[in-house]
Amino acid sequence: MTAAPAPFVEEPLPSYREYPQSEMIDRAEGFLAELRRRRTVREFEVRPVPHEVIASCLLAAGTAPSGANQQPWFFSVITDPERKRRIREAAEQEEREFYGGKAPQEWLDALAPLGTDPHKPFLEEAPVLIAIFAQKYGVRPDGSRFSHYYVPESVGIAAGFLIAALHHAGLATLTHTPSPMGFLNEICERPVSEKPVILLVAGYPKPGCKVPVHGGLKKRLDQIASWL
Ligand code: IYR
Protein backbone atom coordinates (compact mmCIF):
# COMPACT_ATOMS: atom_id res chain seq x y z
CA MET A 1 0.00 0.00 0.00
CA THR A 2 1.42 3.40 -0.92
CA ALA A 3 1.15 6.15 1.66
CA ALA A 4 -0.87 9.25 0.87
CA PRO A 5 1.36 12.21 -0.11
CA ALA A 6 2.62 14.09 2.94
CA PRO A 7 0.93 17.47 3.37
CA PHE A 8 3.25 20.43 2.78
CA VAL A 9 2.70 23.98 4.02
CA GLU A 10 1.07 26.32 1.55
CA GLU A 11 3.73 29.06 1.50
CA PRO A 12 7.33 28.28 0.52
CA LEU A 13 9.53 28.28 3.66
CA PRO A 14 7.70 31.22 5.29
CA SER A 15 10.08 31.72 8.21
CA TYR A 16 13.41 31.71 6.34
CA ARG A 17 15.41 34.96 6.15
CA GLU A 18 18.44 35.64 3.96
CA TYR A 19 20.69 38.50 5.11
CA PRO A 20 22.99 40.66 3.03
CA GLN A 21 26.49 39.13 3.16
CA SER A 22 28.01 41.72 5.51
CA GLU A 23 25.10 41.32 7.92
CA MET A 24 25.45 37.55 7.66
CA ILE A 25 29.13 37.80 8.65
CA ASP A 26 28.28 40.15 11.54
CA ARG A 27 25.56 37.84 12.78
CA ALA A 28 27.81 34.76 12.62
CA GLU A 29 30.57 36.58 14.50
CA GLY A 30 28.09 37.99 17.01
CA PHE A 31 26.69 34.55 17.76
CA LEU A 32 30.21 33.17 18.14
CA ALA A 33 31.06 35.97 20.60
CA GLU A 34 27.88 35.24 22.53
CA LEU A 35 28.63 31.51 22.78
CA ARG A 36 32.27 32.19 23.68
CA ARG A 37 31.06 33.93 26.83
CA ARG A 38 29.47 30.68 28.03
CA ARG A 39 31.31 28.90 30.78
CA THR A 40 30.31 25.83 32.70
CA VAL A 41 29.74 26.86 36.30
CA ARG A 42 29.78 24.75 39.46
CA GLU A 43 28.70 27.33 42.03
CA PHE A 44 25.17 28.68 41.90
CA GLU A 45 23.14 31.22 43.83
CA VAL A 46 19.97 29.91 45.46
CA ARG A 47 17.95 32.79 43.93
CA PRO A 48 15.04 31.40 41.91
CA VAL A 49 14.78 32.00 38.17
CA PRO A 50 11.59 33.04 36.36
CA HIS A 51 9.45 30.07 35.40
CA GLU A 52 8.70 31.54 31.96
CA VAL A 53 12.42 31.76 31.12
CA ILE A 54 12.82 28.03 31.68
CA ALA A 55 9.60 27.36 29.76
CA SER A 56 10.81 29.38 26.73
CA CYS A 57 14.23 27.70 26.81
CA LEU A 58 12.60 24.27 26.90
CA LEU A 59 10.42 25.22 23.93
CA ALA A 60 13.62 26.38 22.16
CA ALA A 61 15.15 22.95 22.87
CA GLY A 62 11.97 21.39 21.52
CA THR A 63 12.54 23.04 18.12
CA ALA A 64 15.62 20.84 17.60
CA PRO A 65 15.67 18.53 14.58
CA SER A 66 15.22 14.86 15.43
CA GLY A 67 15.04 11.49 13.70
CA ALA A 68 11.70 11.36 11.82
CA ASN A 69 10.73 14.40 13.92
CA GLN A 70 9.88 12.00 16.74
CA GLN A 71 11.27 14.41 19.36
CA PRO A 72 12.47 11.55 21.59
CA TRP A 73 13.20 13.73 24.63
CA PHE A 74 11.62 14.65 27.91
CA PHE A 75 12.69 17.37 30.31
CA SER A 76 11.93 17.10 34.03
CA VAL A 77 12.34 20.46 35.72
CA ILE A 78 13.12 20.02 39.41
CA THR A 79 12.82 23.00 41.74
CA ASP A 80 11.35 21.20 44.77
CA PRO A 81 13.99 21.28 47.57
CA GLU A 82 13.18 17.76 48.77
CA ARG A 83 13.62 16.23 45.32
CA LYS A 84 16.83 18.23 44.82
CA ARG A 85 18.09 16.89 48.15
CA ARG A 86 17.35 13.31 47.08
CA ILE A 87 19.11 13.90 43.75
CA ARG A 88 22.17 15.32 45.51
CA GLU A 89 22.29 12.38 47.90
CA ALA A 90 22.01 9.78 45.11
CA ALA A 91 24.47 11.61 42.84
CA GLU A 92 27.07 12.06 45.59
CA GLN A 93 26.77 8.37 46.43
CA GLU A 94 27.67 7.51 42.80
CA GLU A 95 30.42 10.13 42.73
CA ARG A 96 32.03 8.82 45.93
CA GLU A 97 32.34 5.44 44.21
CA PHE A 98 33.56 7.07 41.01
CA TYR A 99 36.30 9.11 42.65
CA GLY A 100 36.99 6.47 45.28
CA GLY A 101 38.13 3.69 42.92
CA LYS A 102 35.66 3.04 40.12
CA ALA A 103 37.14 5.58 37.72
CA PRO A 104 40.38 4.53 36.02
CA GLN A 105 43.41 6.74 36.75
CA GLU A 106 43.43 7.98 33.15
CA TRP A 107 39.92 9.39 33.63
CA LEU A 108 40.80 11.01 36.96
CA ASP A 109 43.89 12.53 35.33
CA ALA A 110 41.72 13.98 32.55
CA LEU A 111 39.41 15.55 35.14
CA ALA A 112 42.17 16.95 37.37
CA PRO A 113 42.35 20.32 35.50
CA LEU A 114 38.66 20.87 36.30
CA GLY A 115 39.10 20.46 40.05
CA THR A 116 35.95 18.36 40.49
CA ASP A 117 35.31 16.05 43.46
CA PRO A 118 32.39 13.99 44.88
CA HIS A 119 30.77 16.98 46.59
CA LYS A 120 27.86 18.33 44.61
CA PRO A 121 26.27 21.08 46.76
CA PHE A 122 25.06 22.82 43.59
CA LEU A 123 22.48 20.06 43.17
CA GLU A 124 20.65 21.54 46.17
CA GLU A 125 21.68 25.17 45.86
CA ALA A 126 20.91 25.80 42.19
CA PRO A 127 17.30 26.85 41.69
CA VAL A 128 16.67 24.55 38.73
CA LEU A 129 17.77 21.07 37.76
CA ILE A 130 16.64 19.81 34.37
CA ALA A 131 16.84 16.05 33.97
CA ILE A 132 17.02 15.27 30.26
CA PHE A 133 15.60 11.89 29.33
CA ALA A 134 16.01 10.04 26.02
CA GLN A 135 12.96 8.08 24.95
CA LYS A 136 14.56 4.84 23.75
CA TYR A 137 11.28 3.92 22.02
CA GLY A 138 7.80 5.36 21.76
CA VAL A 139 4.89 3.92 23.67
CA ARG A 140 1.35 4.04 22.25
CA PRO A 141 -1.66 4.57 24.53
CA ASP A 142 -2.33 0.80 24.38
CA GLY A 143 1.19 0.12 25.71
CA SER A 144 2.65 -1.15 22.44
CA ARG A 145 6.08 0.12 21.41
CA PHE A 146 7.38 1.76 18.26
CA SER A 147 10.93 2.52 17.16
CA HIS A 148 12.60 5.86 17.67
CA TYR A 149 15.46 6.73 15.33
CA TYR A 150 18.77 8.50 16.00
CA VAL A 151 17.87 8.99 19.66
CA PRO A 152 21.31 9.96 21.11
CA GLU A 153 21.95 12.37 18.25
CA SER A 154 18.50 13.97 18.55
CA VAL A 155 18.66 14.37 22.32
CA GLY A 156 22.21 15.72 22.10
CA ILE A 157 21.11 18.38 19.62
CA ALA A 158 18.14 19.36 21.82
CA ALA A 159 20.41 19.56 24.87
CA GLY A 160 22.74 21.85 22.90
CA PHE A 161 19.85 24.10 21.95
CA LEU A 162 18.74 24.18 25.61
CA ILE A 163 22.19 25.12 26.91
CA ALA A 164 22.52 27.85 24.26
CA ALA A 165 19.01 29.17 25.04
CA LEU A 166 19.67 29.32 28.80
CA HIS A 167 22.98 31.07 28.20
CA HIS A 168 21.32 33.54 25.83
CA ALA A 169 18.72 34.29 28.52
CA GLY A 170 21.50 35.06 31.02
CA LEU A 171 21.60 31.85 33.03
CA ALA A 172 24.62 29.72 33.76
CA THR A 173 24.56 25.96 33.35
CA LEU A 174 26.43 22.83 34.28
CA THR A 175 26.13 19.67 32.22
CA HIS A 176 26.27 17.13 35.00
CA THR A 177 26.37 13.40 34.34
CA PRO A 178 26.56 11.27 37.47
CA SER A 179 26.95 7.71 36.27
CA PRO A 180 24.83 5.66 36.52
CA MET A 181 21.87 7.96 37.04
CA GLY A 182 18.94 5.58 37.00
CA PHE A 183 17.80 7.15 40.28
CA LEU A 184 16.45 10.04 38.21
CA ASN A 185 13.64 7.87 36.81
CA GLU A 186 12.22 7.33 40.27
CA ILE A 187 12.75 10.86 41.59
CA CYS A 188 11.34 12.43 38.40
CA GLU A 189 8.57 9.82 38.06
CA ARG A 190 9.58 8.83 34.53
CA PRO A 191 8.95 5.43 32.91
CA VAL A 192 11.64 2.81 32.26
CA SER A 193 11.31 3.48 28.52
CA GLU A 194 13.22 6.72 29.20
CA LYS A 195 16.94 6.88 29.89
CA PRO A 196 18.31 9.84 31.85
CA VAL A 197 21.23 11.24 29.86
CA ILE A 198 22.07 14.65 31.32
CA LEU A 199 21.27 16.43 34.55
CA LEU A 200 21.46 20.10 33.54
CA VAL A 201 21.97 22.49 36.43
CA ALA A 202 20.83 26.08 35.79
CA GLY A 203 20.77 29.33 37.69
CA TYR A 204 22.74 32.46 38.47
CA PRO A 205 26.45 31.97 39.11
CA LYS A 206 27.47 32.69 42.70
CA PRO A 207 29.00 36.16 43.04
CA GLY A 208 32.78 35.74 42.85
CA CYS A 209 32.40 32.31 41.27
CA LYS A 210 35.64 31.20 39.62
CA VAL A 211 36.02 28.80 36.71
CA PRO A 212 39.00 26.59 35.80
CA VAL A 213 41.38 27.86 33.11
CA HIS A 214 41.14 24.48 31.39
CA GLY A 215 37.44 24.84 30.53
CA GLY A 216 38.08 28.02 28.57
CA LEU A 217 40.68 26.46 26.30
CA LYS A 218 38.94 25.63 23.05
CA LYS A 219 40.55 24.02 20.02
CA ARG A 220 41.48 26.23 17.07
CA LEU A 221 39.51 26.10 13.84
CA ASP A 222 42.21 24.10 12.03
CA GLN A 223 42.08 21.54 14.83
CA ILE A 224 38.33 21.00 14.59
CA ALA A 225 37.63 21.45 10.88
CA SER A 226 39.02 21.00 7.40
CA TRP A 227 37.92 22.41 4.07
CA LEU A 228 38.15 19.85 1.29
N1 IYR B 1 30.61 12.84 37.02
C1 IYR B 1 31.79 13.26 37.77
C2 IYR B 1 33.04 13.20 36.98
C3 IYR B 1 33.11 14.06 35.77
C4 IYR B 1 33.24 13.46 34.54
C5 IYR B 1 33.41 14.22 33.42
I1 IYR B 1 33.74 13.30 31.63
C6 IYR B 1 33.44 15.63 33.52
O1 IYR B 1 33.61 16.39 32.38
C7 IYR B 1 33.31 16.24 34.75
C8 IYR B 1 33.15 15.43 35.88
C9 IYR B 1 31.56 14.63 38.40
O2 IYR B 1 30.58 15.29 38.08
O3 IYR B 1 32.35 15.06 39.23
Side-chain angles (χ1 to χ4, degrees):
M1 208 176 73
T2 41
F8 272 54
V9 290
E10 198 71 31
E11 280 197 32
L13 204 54
S15 56
Y16 174 75
R17 275 193 236 164
E18 181 175 323
Y19 303 101
Q21 212 179 89
S22 62
E23 194 180 336
M24 202 179 184
I25 292 166
D26 285 351
R27 290 177 64 92
E29 284 177 355
F31 193 61
L32 167 63
E34 169 82 358
L35 285 189
R36 275 191 171 148
R37 288 192 304 101
R38 189 201 63 79
R39 287 301 308 266
T40 290
V41 154
R42 290 186 171 79
E43 291 175 86
F44 292 85
E45 270 189 59
V46 297
R47 188 154 53 108
V49 301
H51 179 93
E52 56 268 47
V53 170
I54 302 300
S56 294
C57 293
L58 290 171
L59 286 170
T63 68
S66 62
N69 196 30
Q70 287 172 317
Q71 303 159 64
W73 44 65
F74 192 87
F75 303 93
S76 271
V77 183
I78 303 118
T79 58
D80 169 46
E82 175 56 19
R83 280 187 220 252
K84 286 198 287 183
R85 192 194 58 73
R86 286 169 62 198
I87 288 173
R88 176 185 179 177
E89 216 159 78
E92 286 188 335
Q93 176 63 38
E94 298 296 351
E95 299 294 8
R96 277 192 293 272
E97 287 175 30
F98 176 84
Y99 287 95
K102 210 170 100 183
Q105 192 56 43
E106 185 179 0
W107 195 344
L108 295 176
D109 290 346
L111 292 178
L114 295 177
T116 53
D117 64 31
H119 300 106
K120 307 297 175 192
F122 52 76
L123 292 175
E124 278 188 80
E125 290 168 358
V128 173
L129 308 179
I130 304 174
I132 306 179
F133 291 87
Q135 296 175 331
K136 294 176 280 184
Y137 47 86
V139 184
R140 297 190 190 89
D142 68 1
S144 61
R145 298 174 180 188
F146 59 95
S147 288
H148 276 167
Y149 304 100
Y150 296 100
V151 173
E153 294 85 349
S154 303
V155 178
I157 295 167
F161 276 31
L162 178 57
I163 292 166
L166 290 164
H167 169 69
H168 182 69
L171 292 175
T173 56
L174 163 62
T175 317
H176 184 48
T177 52
S179 164
M181 51 181 157
F183 59 84
L184 286 174
N185 285 77
E186 197 206 322
I187 298 175
C188 301
E189 301 171 30
R190 299 309 302 166
V192 291
S193 55
E194 295 184 358
K195 179 183 179 220
V197 288
I198 294 171
L199 182 57
L200 195 67
V201 184
Y204 302 99
K206 248 188 203 161
C209 159
K210 292 199 171 171
V211 290
V213 171
H214 178 72
L217 306 176
K218 301 301 181 188
K219 291 182 179 175
R220 295 185 315 269
L221 184 58
D222 64 292
Q223 294 174 301
I224 63 168
S226 68
W227 266 253
L228 303 172

